[in-house]
Amino acid sequence: GTSTLNAGGNLAVSGSVATDLNTTTTGTGTTSFGTTSVTGNLGVTSAGAVGQTGALAVGGTASLSAGTNAVTLTNSANDFTGAVTAAGANISLADSNALVLGTLSATGTATLNAGGAVTQTGAIAASGLELLGTGPYTLTNAANDVSTLAANTLGAISYVDANAFGVGIVGPTTGITSNNSNVSLQSGGA
């Protein structure tokens, strides 16, 4: 089954859901997660920003859409088990362990901070991509398209982009630091 929450304004969600959970806000309504556990898949369509005040655990996939607003899910205790797909202005995601990315589409920057391996099943599109945390990061989808990459990780980084990109400043991170781990960067989708 699926649980559904709809709001004509702001929506605050917390608690446990033993099924899939779909949330929708309209107007300029934001979506905010307190400490929340979803056993199945999570679908979020928010007219405003998507944020959190507590840890979010999702046993299935997560699909997050904030239109022209930010998706900010940066609690270090978050645990996304399935692939996370997100669309918005700036996207910031944190996971306490491994993180699987679906398609990420940010009109601004995308920031990823994970306590384990980060992989992808879909492409990343963003003006800037910031990689933080333990890693390793294996982001080798040939359709990735970012303008600037910056990283400060403990693990290796492997990144492929469809076009030319630069290593520079994204958020507070400048350049690439990988704690003496391997770094592999490719442009042109090769």
Side-chain angles (χ1 to χ4, degrees):
T2 300
S3 298
T4 302
L5 299 172
N6 296 311
N10 296 338
L11 177 63
V13 180
S14 63
S16 296
V17 178
T19 61
D20 293 347
L21 175 62
N22 291 326
T23 70
T24 303
T25 62
T26 58
T28 58
T30 62
T31 303
S32 178
F33 290 94
T35 301
T36 306
S37 175
V38 178
T39 301
N41 300 322
L42 174 65
V44 176
T45 302
S46 187
V50 176
Q52 67 184 142
T53 59
L56 177 60
V58 180
T61 61
S63 176
L64 313 164
S65 176
T68 59
N69 301 288
V71 175
T72 309
L73 300 176
T74 56
N75 186 305
S76 61
N78 288 343
D79 189 7
F80 297 101
T81 302
V84 179
T85 298
N90 295 316
I91 298 170
S92 298
L93 301 173
D95 195 303
S96 60
N97 46 50
L99 177 62
V100 178
L101 302 172
T103 301
L104 292 187
S105 180
T107 56
T109 60
T111 298
L112 307 173
N113 190 343
V118 179
T119 57
Q120 66 184 141
T121 62
I124 299 169
S127 63
L129 177 61
E130 181 182 29
L131 309 177
L132 305 171
T134 304
Y137 280 86
T138 306
L139 305 175
T140 54
N141 185 306
N144 288 336
D145 189 10
V146 303
S147 298
T148 306
L149 176 68
N152 187 356
T153 70
L154 296 177
I157 299 167
S158 183
Y159 179 76
V160 173
D161 198 287
N163 300 295
F165 67 95
V167 173
I169 301 170
V170 181
T173 304
T174 300
I176 294 178
T177 303
S178 68
N179 199 36
N180 294 322
S181 295
N182 291 335
V183 175
S184 171
L185 306 175
Q186 286 184 319
S187 64

